[in-house]
Amino acid sequence: MKYDILISGVGGQGTVLASRILALSSIEAGFFARTAETIGMSQRGGSVVSHVRIGSENSSSVIPLSGADLLIGFELCEAARCIQRLSPDGKCIVNKQVIKPVTVSLGNSNYDTDGITEFIKKNCKCPVFIDGYSLAEQAGSVKAVNIVLLGAAAGLGFLPFDRSVLEKVIASNVPQKYVELNMKAFELGYREGIMQKTVAAC
Amino acid sequence: MRKLLMGNEAIAFGAIKSGVRVVTGYPGTPSTEVLETIAKNNPGHIYVEWSVNEKVAMEVAAGAAYAGARSLVTMKQVGLNVASDPLMSLVYIGVKGGMVILVADDPGPFSSQTEQDTRHFAEFSNLPVFDPSSPEEAYQMIEAAFELSEKVQLPVFLRPTTRICHSCSTIDLPDSFEKPGNPEGFQKDPRWVIFPALAYKKHIHVEQLQTKLSEMFSSSPFNQVVGSGKKGIAASGVAYSYVKEYLSMTDARVKLFKVGTPYPLPSKLALEFLNGLDEVLVVEELDPVVEESLLQLSASNLLNVRIYGKKTNHLPFAGEYSFELVKDAVQKFLGTGIHEDMGHKLTPSDFPARPPVLCAGCPHRGSFYAVKTAMKGQKAVFTGDIGCYTLGNAKPLDMVDTCLCMGAGITVAQGLKHAEPDVRHIAFIGDSTFFHTGIPGIINAVYNNTDITVVVLDNGTTAMTGHQPHPGTGKTIMGSISEKIDIFSLVKACGVKFIKKANPFNLKESARIIREAVEFNGPSVVIFEGPCISLYKPSRIMSVTDNCTSCKKCIREIGCPAMYTEGKKVRIEPSLCYGCTLCSQVCPFDAIGGADQ
Ligand code: SF4
Ligand code: SF4
């Protein structure tokens, strides 16, 4: 089985940990996994992308354009920016959160929330929009938005392994004192995923 | 043990498996995690250090190899420029224990000043180079590199690129690593002292070795020729993995030459590849190293084969290659270019750009802003350097007028000064860069009495590359506590007569100190001390109160990424704010207050 997941977001949102958890879960489930990360200067609040390639013994680490089976956008505009890598039948989860770049706050560029949302809807089959920020806040920290989104992906049935595999990997890859918080974040995301699945019928 | 390893981690474990004893390096993206991973997984017998700079690192590693220990030195491509002095002589001297020089190249570039190609440095210095096409291959290559180095008694390059360094792969590691035997020790011998007469003899020897190395590489498992046909593709590094991925999607008849050791080119194998071919496409990132070697080889063997690549404009010199770029070139070459409709109609909409910025709460923001306010109305040039603070060039701070290479801020300022004595020149340099190559520039300014002001941005860490300790932190990567080297005393010992410390979070006071320093006749130094946000948890966060008139001065002046506008209202994102209070010091209406966390 081959399955390509693209994660996009803003440096500091925990995309690297999310991709690591997905890849480790794939290995745990018996697959060969690769990832490619943005590390370095862009991590200082710039656009970041992680590629997770499952069943990728003979592939490179970067997902080709129109190749991703799933896109998890951690931020509205960053999701839109990466849609060209999503396959025409690909699934897409978008965290509705808006993080305005400094260029926008300074008035040098424009962040058109409605326009971007429309763009996503027009260019991918049935995007699932999630308020990851509020769910993470509910779980105890907005920093857990990455785990909320993984929970949602699992709840929606978009991942090729069981939630139990993910939970095990999360528990062993976050600091001990945050395990409970992250489990709660995962659960909240998972439930949101299940709910959206029945509503959206993707 | 089945593991998910980043290319750099794979290289690190490969080095441990190979029995490395001494590991040195200077942090630099994308190479940094190699040394860190070895330190973190040190079985106990490995000495690991962050050296002060790459030249020092190269020499320490060479010394260890003189004594018969296996040593590894790590750096990024521009670091090799700094280390090139010891490197070039070391080729003549050679080593006893295996020595691997890990240099990570950065096509793109993602985090570098240049796109230079270390494979050319290998050719220049006459040292063999391994060029991995995947993290798992890098894991195998480092072991081969150590063995080769010991066999030919020369240092050997391992040259991954960003895509290899920062990609993860599924790799099986042994459960434990064997401890290597003790090194033989240093044996006194004239061979270790470079003299003109020795250099001449060694030059002959090294040149002869090149043919031998090429022969050895022809039977290396990292070089392979598969397939058949009249058309051939030669590919090296990560570009090979794109070629392979594309070919697996087609049934085109093509001969494929995988080049794992671009220098010296395995000529025997390359001739086997070229034989019977009409046309060849060479796919490699950065310089046309393999392309040129194949051109030379086919010319000297009078082969009637056309070789395409960068020199024929079939592929670009600059930038990182992508699967799409390689696919297009290969399709054109093979004539299989059926244009597939991905069924994905995209209208490029103008999304707001999101360049990297100084973090919320970053002490550099206050330092830059204080200097900016102090210098308002005066003609001044601000020279920058390499580190997070290069980001101070972005608006609204706009405080980096030049940036060249490590340590050049201080020296470029001096040249500018001599050309334009009436202009004020202020050089910014970070703490780690100061130790790396900043000190000679300070001494130069004192010695030649050049009236510049140096601003040292001391945030207590090497932040850009992921927070490594340095001589000023009093900690080492081995976890031990060492003597903290005090920048103030060091600058004083260099003979600077005006030195003051300033607090980046106290704007008025800092601006006053800067004015004093600039007025001072002769070189002056101001040390801004404020910790990188990675070193502490915020004790308070700020929020905007009802006093706010929406004048937006705060956003306009300092551009903190925690601040944003919602309609007319200015807001602070609580999860990003570090409570540095800069915004409240800038606000003319006392409209930003703090709450303890
Ligand atoms: S500077 Fe003060 S008054 Fe002006 S927008 Fe900022 S918080 Fe409001
Ligand atoms: S106090 Fe103001 S300037 Fe400092 S981090 Fe918070 S919002 Fe940014």
Side-chain angles (χ1 to χ4, degrees):
Chain A
M1 192 224 38
K2 274 188 162 192
Y3 197 74
D4 288 341
I5 307 172
L6 192 74
I7 298 175
S8 66
V10 178
Q13 277 194 304
T15 49
V16 178
L17 179 63
S19 92
R20 195 173 165 76
I21 287 169
L22 286 175
L24 284 171
S25 303
S26 315
I27 295 176
E28 185 79 23
F31 302 114
F32 187 105
R34 288 183 196 279
T35 73
E37 308 289 356
T38 324
I39 290 174
M41 209 176 227
S42 304
Q43 278 179 302
R44 306 277 176 277
S47 306
V48 289
V49 181
S50 295
H51 304 245
V52 183
R53 307 198 73 180
I54 305 170
S56 51
E57 288 89 334
N58 296 311
S59 325
S60 69
S61 62
V62 181
I63 303 171
L65 292 175
S66 304
D69 299 294
L70 170 65
L71 166 66
I72 310 180
F74 278 41
E75 197 268 354
L76 188 71
C77 160
E78 295 312 320
R81 217 192 288 280
C82 283
I83 283 222
Q84 47 172 345
R85 248 176 234 284
L86 189 61
S87 104
D89 302 316
K91 313 247 187 285
C92 170
I93 302 171
V94 181
N95 179 20
K96 277 192 278 195
Q97 189 181 348
V98 166
I99 303 176
K100 286 190 184 161
V102 176
T103 51
V104 171
S105 308
L106 287 170
N108 298 338
S109 63
N110 182 30
Y111 197 119
D112 174 9
T113 309
D114 295 338
I116 295 173
T117 311
E118 269 319 297
F119 175 88
I120 295 175
K121 286 183 178 158
K122 220 166 78 196
N123 285 286
C124 103
K125 265 198 182 141
C126 61
V128 180
F129 290 90
I130 284 188
D131 185 356
Y133 188 90
S134 303
L135 290 171
E137 206 169 25
Q138 227 175 299
S141 164
V142 296
K143 302 232 156 85
V145 80
N146 52 357
I147 305 297
V148 168
L149 292 169
L150 293 185
L156 282 155
F158 289 173
L159 299 177
F161 33 74
D162 270 7
R163 73 171 282 179
S164 58
V165 178
L166 261 170
E167 281 175 311
K168 189 179 149 201
V169 171
I170 293 171
S172 51
N173 280 279
V174 299
Q176 193 55 41
K177 60 178 176 182
Y178 296 125
V179 169
E180 206 178 308
L181 189 156
N182 280 295
M183 285 304 151
K184 197 167 164 203
F186 184 83
E187 181 62 34
L188 288 172
Y190 189 84
R191 273 196 240 150
E192 178 70 16
I194 298 245
M195 213 177 71
Q196 293 254 15
K197 193 173 169 183
T198 47
V199 180
C202 276
Chain B
M1 245 186 320
R2 186 144 258 229
K3 289 237 176 193
L4 179 75
L5 294 182
M6 196 186 271
N8 281 344
E9 295 171 318
I11 292 168
F13 282 109
I16 298 176
K17 187 160 168 261
S18 310
V20 72
R21 278 268 177 189
V22 173
V23 183
T24 64
Y26 185 79
T29 312
S31 71
T32 313
E33 298 84 2
V34 174
L35 189 143
E36 286 179 324
T37 305
I38 297 178
K40 223 184 287 163
N41 297 280
N42 192 347
H45 60 262
I46 308 176
Y47 171 78
V48 190
E49 74 168 38
W50 281 128
S51 311
V52 167
N53 63 35
E54 293 85 355
K55 169 176 151 67
V56 171
M58 180 79 75
E59 291 155 353
V60 175
Y66 284 6
R70 285 196 167 181
S71 71
L72 170 69
V73 55
T74 76
M75 64 195 71
K76 68 183 295 179
Q77 90 283 33
V78 284
L80 187 59
N81 302 337
V82 178
S84 60
D85 192 11
L87 173 78
M88 298 310 284
S89 311
L90 188 58
V91 178
Y92 284 35
I93 288 291
V95 292
K96 188 157 77 177
M99 174 172 170
V100 176
I101 306 171
L102 182 285
V103 184
D105 282 357
D106 187 21
F110 288 91
S111 320
S112 305
Q113 310 90 289
T114 72
E115 280 198 303
Q116 68 192 63
D117 193 325
T118 297
R119 299 174 308 159
H120 253 148
F121 232 119
E123 191 175 345
F124 175 45
S125 60
N126 279 323
L127 291 181
V129 57
F130 288 84
D131 188 9
S133 63
S134 68
E136 54 269 37
E137 196 179 31
Y139 174 67
Q140 294 165 344
M141 275 183 172
I142 187 151
E143 215 170 341
F146 272 115
E147 273 159 25
L148 178 67
S149 166
E150 234 150 50
K151 197 166 190 176
V152 296
Q153 307 235 310
L154 274 185
V156 170
F157 279 113
L158 176 60
R159 173 266 193 183
T161 53
T162 306
R163 271 300 159 209
I164 305 296
C165 295
H166 290 164
S167 286
C168 298
S169 183
T170 310
I171 294 176
D172 291 315
L173 284 187
D175 292 324
S176 65
F177 297 101
E178 253 172 69
K179 189 179 169 195
N182 283 336
E184 193 189 301
F186 180 72
Q187 246 115 44
K188 296 191 184 195
D189 188 295
R191 75 172 267 206
W192 303 115
V193 184
I194 191 107
F195 261 115
L198 178 69
Y200 174 73
K201 266 201 266 169
K202 284 291 192 164
H203 189 187
I204 297 169
H205 167 71
V206 168
E207 290 296 342
Q208 281 166 348
L209 254 185
Q210 304 305 302
T211 326
K212 205 169 138 204
L213 281 165
S214 166
E215 263 165 39
M216 288 163 85
F217 278 159
S218 280
S219 55
S220 155
F222 302 115
N223 298 315
Q224 264 161 17
V225 175
V226 293
S228 60
K230 288 274 165 210
K231 291 188 176 194
I233 298 175
S236 151
V238 75
Y240 167 76
S241 72
Y242 299 140
V243 171
K244 200 176 76 169
E245 187 167 353
Y246 173 66
L247 290 180
S248 74
M249 298 169 165
T250 66
D251 43 16
R253 216 172 138 234
V254 60
K255 206 167 172 187
L256 179 62
F257 181 17
K258 174 190 178 298
V259 185
T261 62
Y263 185 82
L265 188 79
S267 303
K268 209 171 128 231
L269 190 65
L271 274 175
E272 264 170 52
F273 165 70
L274 290 175
N275 259 324
L277 291 181
D278 292 338
E279 293 174 305
V280 170
L281 179 72
V282 187
V283 192
E284 59 189 323
E285 287 180 317
L286 302 179
D287 294 347
V289 173
V290 174
E291 187 180 340
E292 280 171 356
S293 303
L294 285 177
L295 278 168
Q296 224 171 51
L297 194 69
S298 74
S300 58
N301 286 276
L302 300 174
L303 296 181
N304 192 11
V305 51
R306 254 191 238 142
I307 295 174
Y308 307 117
K310 295 168 199 276
K311 296 184 157 261
T312 53
N313 282 325
H314 285 74
L315 282 151
F317 280 85
E320 194 197 19
Y321 283 11
S322 64
F323 173 77
E324 287 73 27
L325 186 146
V326 169
K327 183 184 85 176
D328 282 354
V330 172
Q331 275 182 341
K332 267 189 209 130
F333 173 67
L334 296 178
T336 50
I338 332 123
H339 193 75
E340 309 134 66
D341 185 7
M342 293 302 205
H344 219 92
K345 296 281 171 289
L346 272 196
T347 38
S349 92
D350 46 340
F351 301 125
R354 196 188 298 276
V357 288
L358 290 173
C359 302
C362 174
H364 302 334
R365 183 171 286 107
S367 308
F368 281 128
Y369 190 68
V371 178
K372 187 170 182 167
T373 42
M375 297 314 292
K376 209 166 241 162
Q378 294 196 56
K379 216 171 160 208
V381 177
F382 307 108
T383 57
D385 222 299
I386 309 282
C388 280
Y389 50 99
T390 316
L391 295 171
N393 78 321
K395 292 210 158 53
L397 291 171
D398 194 11
M399 284 295 285
V400 178
D401 297 326
T402 72
C403 178
L404 185 68
C405 65
M406 294 284 282
I410 297 175
T411 35
V412 165
Q414 295 169 40
L416 287 166
K417 183 82 198 174
H418 297 307
E420 272 187 299
D422 297 337
V423 176
R424 306 288 194 185
H425 293 95
I426 301 182
F428 293 94
I429 187 165
D431 40 354
S432 188
T433 311
F434 173 83
F435 290 111
H436 180 279
T437 30
I439 300 164
I442 302 249
I443 297 175
N444 195 60
V446 174
Y447 174 52
N448 295 297
N449 193 25
T450 309
D451 186 12
I452 59 161
T453 298
V454 176
V455 174
V456 182
L457 302 167
D458 184 0
N459 62 357
T461 185
T462 316
M464 182 87 262
T465 45
H467 319 292
Q468 290 73 30
H470 61 64
T473 64
K475 286 188 206 99
T476 72
I477 185 95
M478 298 284 277
S480 58
I481 305 295
S482 62
E483 181 76 29
K484 255 194 207 185
I485 297 175
D486 180 40
I487 298 179
F488 190 99
S489 326
L490 198 60
V491 171
K492 196 164 169 208
C494 291
V496 178
K497 292 289 176 296
F498 181 105
I499 320 166
K500 279 210 168 142
K501 289 191 184 182
N503 175 1
F505 301 119
N506 187 338
L507 286 179
K508 276 210 186 90
E509 177 71 10
S510 299
R512 192 184 57 71
I513 295 172
I514 288 292
R515 266 183 234 113
E516 257 180 67
V518 169
E519 284 313 316
F520 181 80
N521 203 347
S524 55
V525 173
V526 178
I527 305 164
F528 276 95
E529 288 181 335
C532 172
I533 60 160
S534 68
L535 301 176
Y536 69 101
K537 290 263 167 292
S539 57
R540 70 170 110 65
I541 52 174
M542 310 298 279
S543 58
V544 182
T545 68
D546 290 343
N547 286 352
C548 175
T549 64
S550 298
C551 75
K552 299 199 181 151
K553 181 169 183 210
C554 48
I555 289 183
R556 228 177 29 243
E557 294 284 304
I558 58 171
C560 170
M563 310 196 83
Y564 63 99
T565 49
E566 213 172 62
K568 274 202 137 95
K569 292 247 175 339
V570 170
R571 298 244 183 278
I572 292 174
E573 168 56 45
S575 66
L576 290 177
C577 176
Y578 259 74
C580 74
T581 76
L582 269 197
C583 52
S584 73
Q585 293 179 52
V586 169
C587 172
F589 299 100
D590 200 15
I592 301 177
D596 286 350
Q597 272 293 73

